[in-house]
Amino acid sequence: MMLVPCPNCGPRNSSDLRYVGESHSRPNPNTATPEEWRTYLYMEDNPAGPLKETWYCRSGCRQYFTAVRNTSTNEFENHPLPGAKIGSVDPSFHYVSESKSVEGNQ
Amino acid sequence: MTAFKHLLSTSPLASARESASSALGSLKPGSGSKPPRYSAAGLFVKGAKSQDWPRVWREVDLQKSYDVIIIGGGVHGLATAYYLATNHGITNVAVLDKAYLGSGGSGRNTAIVRSNYLTPEGVAFYDRSLSLYNTMSTDLNLNVMFSERGHMTLAHTDGALRTMRWRAEVNKLQDINSSVIDADEVKKLAPSLDTSPNTRYPILGALYHPPGGTIRHDAVVWGYARGADHRGVEMHQKTEVYDILCEGGSGPDGKGPGGKVTGVRTNRGDISAPIVVNCTAGWATTISDMAGVKLPITTHPLQAAVTEPVKVFLPTVVVSGSLHVYVSQTDRGELVFGASVDPYATYSMKGSLEFTEELAGHVLELMPNIGRMRLLRQWAGLCDMTPDYSPIMGFTPVDGFLCDVGWGTYGFKAGPVSGEQMAEAIATKATPKLIEPFKLSRFATGQLVGEKGAAAVGH
């Protein structure tokens, strides 16, 4: 069992939420090559340590939010306060247009 | 009962267990003598004289350089070392493990083997593995307790039944014994299953795969370790890799694409080697990041549980995708349960109460009459999940750095063939045909090998 700090609902059991995955910057659709799209779709950092990730509070406020969790201990590093405006946790999660932000190489 | 006839042959597993546990103690240089062959006569003599069994593998000093370094002392790493030595005569090999041999996924899986996959590439690959498992006890001179008891994947919906038919046809085309059976036949094979139409998830039929079964997974690890040791391969336990040394690459410290591996840095010093193979599970991305190779992998824990032992009543392996569970009964009579991976990525192997609750509920849907059985324990192992539920094998953009990773929830059953094919890749410096579809570059080119429907439960 793991408590996930939802900014609206407070700490909730992880089974109340859906794990969306690592928060990646999306490449610019106008300039991205197929390889860049596949890198964005498939490549993950998968660190054993702090990870910026997206959750969906499906049984509560039904909002997406970003949190930082240590994947070795499952402890969350930032506990957004209940009532904090969605998106104010980390606005970079939504859209970043620079194609240089694409991570990973092969 | 034919399913349990393998128990009659001699089983010198106790000595292997002793060696595995004593190896956790101080690291001492071994005598270097080769282990004797196991036989029924030897078992009788040892028993009569109450002599100690010799150590199963040597423990020697770490050298400064090797031809091949294999990171990860599980089924995959040891099988690679074994086939390098037996098939290709490459014996200057070191297998490094940060804990003890078989301490990761090799000792945590539910020991089920089968080859009824969905893609032609997957079927051909896993069938080769099954045929290696079939002759393994003889090849390794160690009873791995292979029990060919049959494998049933239950269908609870029309959609599932359609996928079963699809799988059965793909399997039959490649000469795999696999067919769709109806609920009555399911009842005959496993009378304890509730096949009535009045359940929440009624059993409509199943994909039946008679060559599937279970194996003693520790014995497979010990068998490969013993066989590899016999041929001169060195196993170094409690040897953790901190870094992979590279030169000429595009990244920092000469790592990354275009570079070349020169060795590894461990807690026991630097070792040089022209070839380093990543055979880890759970830490696959951690290790490959050390060489500057990025993998499309996320690490998820998979939990399993075992009940107290009871009289044998479940003769086959039973899998239910809709109910996220697979069940088999061990030779000791315990029921072993596995499930789907935990829904979030983590390196923590803590068990959860949600898992046992959900598991118990699902198992009771299948077998309502075992409601009073008690769980003995639960545990977790780490699974490296790839986007297409197929592994990543072979060469990487860094010269001399090979991967045999991304084994998700299906690594154990593929151990022997992976070792055989990786050894061939190392020895011939070319990707064997059987693992060509699983190359890392498939994610850049979009040629995925989709095994989601047949590789695991609960997707």
Side-chain angles (χ1 to χ4, degrees), chain B residues 8-62:
Chain B
L8 295 171
S9 49
T10 56
S11 169
L13 290 172
S15 64
R17 181 201 288 277
E18 189 181 86
S19 180
S21 57
S22 64
L24 284 169
S26 62
L27 289 164
K28 275 179 277 181
S31 62
S33 62
K34 287 179 177 177
R37 283 187 65 79
Y38 292 133
S39 66
L43 185 67
F44 178 78
V45 171
K46 293 271 185 198
K49 291 185 179 172
S50 68
Q51 287 174 332
D52 287 340
W53 288 88
R55 294 289 290 265
V56 173
W57 56 80
R58 299 162 299 153
E59 284 196 353
V60 293
D61 288 334
L62 198 61

Side-chain angles (χ1 to χ4, degrees), chain A residues 1-2 13-15 19 22 34-35 38-39 41-49 51 53 55 69-74 103-106, chain B residues 257 282 285-286 289 292 294-300 343-348 351-354 384 387 397 440-441 443-446 448:
Chain A
M1 181 175 146
M2 182 168 85
N13 193 344
S14 63
S15 59
Y19 179 69
E22 293 181 14
E35 287 73 26
R38 291 182 189 128
T39 302
L41 281 174
Y42 302 137
M43 288 298 166
E44 311 273 1
D45 288 337
N46 197 35
L51 170 68
E53 58 190 9
W55 290 85
R69 176 176 57 105
N70 187 324
T71 56
S72 296
T73 60
N74 283 346
E103 290 168 354
N105 53 47
Q106 293 184 47
Chain B
T285 52
T286 316
D289 283 349
K294 224 165 149 47
L295 299 176
I297 282 176
T298 50
T299 300
H300 291 254
Y344 46 84
T346 177
Y347 287 75
S348 162
S352 66
L353 182 60
E354 285 143 15
D384 288 328
L440 173 59
S441 59
F443 297 99
T445 55
L448 274 61

Side-chain angles (χ1 to χ4, degrees), chain B residues 52-228:
Chain B
D52 287 340
W53 288 88
R55 294 289 290 265
V56 173
W57 56 80
R58 299 162 299 153
E59 284 196 353
V60 293
D61 288 334
L62 198 61
Q63 296 174 40
K64 285 285 163 209
S65 94
Y66 293 95
D67 291 341
V68 180
I69 288 176
I70 296 168
I71 307 171
V75 173
H76 284 251
L78 293 168
T80 304
Y82 174 80
Y83 289 113
L84 268 176
T86 50
N87 293 355
H88 305 285
I90 300 173
T91 56
N92 188 16
V93 177
V95 181
L96 312 180
D97 199 290
K98 73 171 180 179
Y100 58 94
L101 299 187
S103 56
S106 304
R108 295 166 188 271
N109 62 74
T110 48
I112 296 168
V113 295
R114 63 185 175 95
S115 63
N116 57 351
Y117 276 72
L118 180 61
T119 62
E121 297 90 341
V123 172
F125 182 76
Y126 290 101
D127 192 49
R128 174 68 190 149
S129 208
L130 203 53
S131 66
L132 286 169
Y133 268 131
N134 257 314
T135 57
M136 184 174 282
S137 288
T138 319
D139 294 345
L140 298 178
N141 178 231
L142 186 77
N143 186 2
V144 295
M145 300 168 88
F146 182 26
S147 166
E148 200 177 46
R149 57 180 66 181
H151 182 284
M152 265 197 307
T153 315
L154 303 176
H156 301 275
T157 62
D158 284 343
L161 207 52
R162 209 154 44 228
T163 311
M164 301 302 167
R165 290 200 193 284
W166 178 10
R167 277 169 71 179
E169 295 310 317
V170 172
N171 295 164
K172 282 176 195 163
L173 268 178
Q174 304 205 32
D175 207 17
I176 309 287
N177 187 352
S178 176
S179 57
V180 175
I181 57 174
D182 64 21
D184 291 339
E185 287 169 280
V186 171
K187 188 77 182 170
K188 266 183 227 154
L189 283 164
S192 52
L193 293 179
D194 183 3
T195 51
S196 72
N198 303 322
T199 54
R200 186 173 172 198
Y201 300 104
I203 295 169
L204 304 180
L207 181 67
Y208 183 47
H209 178 51
T214 60
I215 288 193
R216 180 83 198 273
H217 53 202
D218 300 317
V220 176
V221 170
W222 297 331
Y224 274 128
R226 181 168 169 270

Side-chain angles (χ1 to χ4, degrees), chain B residues 316-334:
Chain B
T316 62
V317 180
V318 176
V319 179
S320 167
S322 304
L323 291 169
H324 301 199
V325 70
Y326 37 95
V327 192
S328 65
Q329 192 166 20
T330 68
D331 300 323
R332 282 190 297 249
E334 301 146 341

